[in-house]
């Protein structure tokens, strides 16, 4: 027993920031960002927290599912950009939604939505929950270094959510972790213990070695998708859509060519939202669902990759 999807929702804050807007204070250009990343605009929070965005995406997913909110037994939230370590952003979302259920958080950076799906599958397998909310929500603008053109132009804010119930539609998954804080990271403030040696502080803003991440990402998509297709006796003709983490249009393009799977099979909205980290896959799923593009029984691959370093891919039947 695993789960099936009953409804989807998403939310992006109303402020739209174009590449030209960023060029006002960064040494960059609309041309460079479109060509090297594939982003035309992104949404940035002015005052909404990751929890606020998560709650809005979750509310629309609950509405879309037709489920009575009282039936939801678990909120599982993927995020790296909450306001506090305590309470967790997941607890804040539970409070905002007024639900009486357990809430916990998964941190696996941009791959975290897949890690959250895997975690929730365990709860369903044990018969512990009837309905669950799985959410990816990021206020990336909170942890971005807006003086660093290598990261500030890529990311955006937003949230996506799924309502799940027990079922058999979570078919298979792969996960890979290669612990490393050189390639991608974001520190936390160090406390004021009088016993600490100095110099331990890591910048509490996101940093990334773009090229190393790019290579890791392309290999991750290719290896993880191939592994799931092979071991489930499928071909890419059996897959309705590949819904990848929206990190960079060129990463998706490279993966498409390496896999010899046409770009039409890849769902993409990075041009309008940028890279929303753990929110990108559920936001894309909601867009596909609301556009009526997903049919019951469609097979989807959800490859994700990023900080950790970590990568993951889920094979999901709609
Ligand atoms: O979601 C989490 C995982 N993250 C990712 O998957 C992101 C992976 N990496 C990337 O998407 C790309 O590596 C970046 C978009 C971050 C950078 O693109 P790139 O094609 O790898 O650029 P680069 O770092 O090789 O830099 C190429 C040139 C350099 O100039 P020179 O040395 O050739 O003169 C950079 O200084 O582009 C310059 N550059 C920029 N120019 C204008 C770097 N960033 C910018 C910028 N605007 N924002």
């Amino acid at each position: 027993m695993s789960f099936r999807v009953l409804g989807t929702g998403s939310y992006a804050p109303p402020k739209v920031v174009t590449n030209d807007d960023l060029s006002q204070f960064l040494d960059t250009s609309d041309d460079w960002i479109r060509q090297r990343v594939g982003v035309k605009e992104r949404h940035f929070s002015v005052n909404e927290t990751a929890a606020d965005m998560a709650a809005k995406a979750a509310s629309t997913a609950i509405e879309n599912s037709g489920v009575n909110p009282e039936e939801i037994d678990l909120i599982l939230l993927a995020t790296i950009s909450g306001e506090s370590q305590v309470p967790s952003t997941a607890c804040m979302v539970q409070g905002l939604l007024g639900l009486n259920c357990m809430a916990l958080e998964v941190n696996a950076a941009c791959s975290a939505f897949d890690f959250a799906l895997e975690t929730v599958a365990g709860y369903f397998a044990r018969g512990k929950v009837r309905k669950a909310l799985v959410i990816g929500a990021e206020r990336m603008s909170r942890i971005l270094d807006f003086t660093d053109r290598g990261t500030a132009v890529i990311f955006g804010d937003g949230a996506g959510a799924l309502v799940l119930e027990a079922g058999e539609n979570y078919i298979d998954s792969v996960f890979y972790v290669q612990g490393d804080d050189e390639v991608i990271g974001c520190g936390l403030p160090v406390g004021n213990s009088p016993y600490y040696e100095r110099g331990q502080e890591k910048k509490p803003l996101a940093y990334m070695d773009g090229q190393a991440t790019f290579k890791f990402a392309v290999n991750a998509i290719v290896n993880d998708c191939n592994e799931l297709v092979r071991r489930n006796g499928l071909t890419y003709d059996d897959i309705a859509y590949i819904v990848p983490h929206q990190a960079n249009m060129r990463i998706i393009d490279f993966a498409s060519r390496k896999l010899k799977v046409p770009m039409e099979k890849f769902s993409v909205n990075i041009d309008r939202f940028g890279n929303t980290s753990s929110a990108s896959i559920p936001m894309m799923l909601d867009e596909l669902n609301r556009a009526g593009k997903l049919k019951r029984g469609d097979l989807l691959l959800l490859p994700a990759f990023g900080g950790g370093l970590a990568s993951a891919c889920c094979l999901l039947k709609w």
Side-chain angles (χ1 to χ4, degrees):
M1 179 64 68
S2 61
F3 59 76
R4 70 186 194 104
V5 179
L6 290 181
T8 63
S10 61
Y11 178 79
K15 180 152 188 69
V16 174
V17 175
T18 65
N19 297 335
D20 284 335
D21 292 334
L22 294 179
S23 312
Q24 302 297 310
F25 59 91
L26 277 172
D27 181 15
T28 189
S29 67
D30 180 48
D31 257 9
W32 193 94
I33 301 170
R34 279 178 195 245
Q35 279 172 25
R36 308 297 289 184
V37 197
V39 179
K40 294 178 187 155
E41 58 189 32
R42 73 287 290 144
H43 295 241
F44 277 143
S45 162
V46 173
N47 53 15
E48 289 169 295
T49 66
D52 294 331
M53 293 186 263
K56 286 178 180 163
S59 295
T60 59
I62 293 170
E63 207 179 298
N64 182 248
S65 71
V67 159
N68 176 351
E70 284 170 16
E71 286 178 71
I72 293 169
D73 301 310
L74 171 67
I75 297 170
L76 203 47
L77 177 79
T79 192
I80 49 168
S81 50
E83 302 301 302
S84 55
Q85 300 213 59
V86 181
S88 74
T89 305
C91 288
M92 293 303 289
V93 174
Q94 187 257 13
L96 287 167
L97 292 173
L99 298 180
N100 179 20
C101 69
M102 172 174 161
L104 79 155
E105 211 153 292
V106 177
N107 175 344
C110 298
S111 321
F113 193 77
D114 283 357
F115 282 74
L117 289 180
E118 181 74 6
T119 308
V120 81
Y123 283 87
F124 280 113
R126 291 173 62 217
K128 293 288 282 184
V129 296
R130 294 164 298 170
K131 307 275 193 299
L133 258 174
V134 181
I135 311 168
E138 301 288 3
R139 186 185 194 179
M140 291 303 289
S141 53
R142 191 179 188 286
I143 59 168
L144 282 181
D145 179 352
F146 279 92
T147 66
D148 174 11
R149 66 179 184 172
T151 49
V153 303
I154 299 171
F155 292 94
D157 297 340
L162 305 183
V163 175
L164 310 175
E165 74 168 359
E168 304 288 351
N169 288 10
Y170 184 67
I171 295 169
D172 200 359
S173 54
V174 284
F175 295 89
Y176 174 75
V177 172
Q178 176 192 320
D180 174 298
D181 64 358
E182 299 285 323
V183 179
I184 308 180
C186 178
L188 285 171
V190 172
N192 60 1
S193 167
Y195 308 107
Y196 284 176
E197 286 172 5
R198 294 222 204 129
Q200 302 179 49
E201 298 83 1
K202 270 200 220 162
K203 190 171 82 163
L205 293 174
Y207 58 86
M208 177 173 73
D209 174 342
Q211 287 187 5
T213 309
F214 197 104
K215 282 181 202 138
F216 173 77
V218 175
N219 285 331
I221 299 187
V222 171
N223 295 340
D224 294 350
C225 287
N226 276 342
E227 172 68 11
L228 286 184
V229 166
R230 184 196 59 76
R231 79 184 188 197
N232 286 279
L234 303 169
T235 72
Y236 283 97
D237 288 339
D238 300 313
I239 304 295
Y241 291 104
I242 299 177
V243 183
H245 166 46
Q246 312 282 310
N248 182 324
M249 192 62 205
R250 282 192 305 128
I251 290 176
I252 300 171
D253 194 46
F254 265 65
S256 151
R257 277 186 273 154
K258 276 198 159 188
L259 287 170
K260 298 190 174 57
V261 174
M263 272 305 276
E264 296 76 64
K265 204 153 255 194
F266 288 80
S267 303
V268 176
N269 65 8
I270 188 174
D271 53 326
R272 285 168 286 128
F273 296 102
N275 175 343
T276 55
S277 189
S278 72
S280 79
I281 288 178
M283 285 175 77
M284 191 67 244
L285 285 173
D286 183 49
E287 194 172 314
L288 285 172
N289 187 30
R290 281 169 199 271
K293 291 188 176 165
L294 297 174
K295 297 189 300 293
R296 283 287 163 208
D298 275 353
L299 288 179
L300 309 176
L301 282 168
L302 315 178
F305 46 83
L309 298 171
S311 79
C313 191
C314 302
L315 175 62
L316 184 68
K317 192 191 285 184
W318 198 250

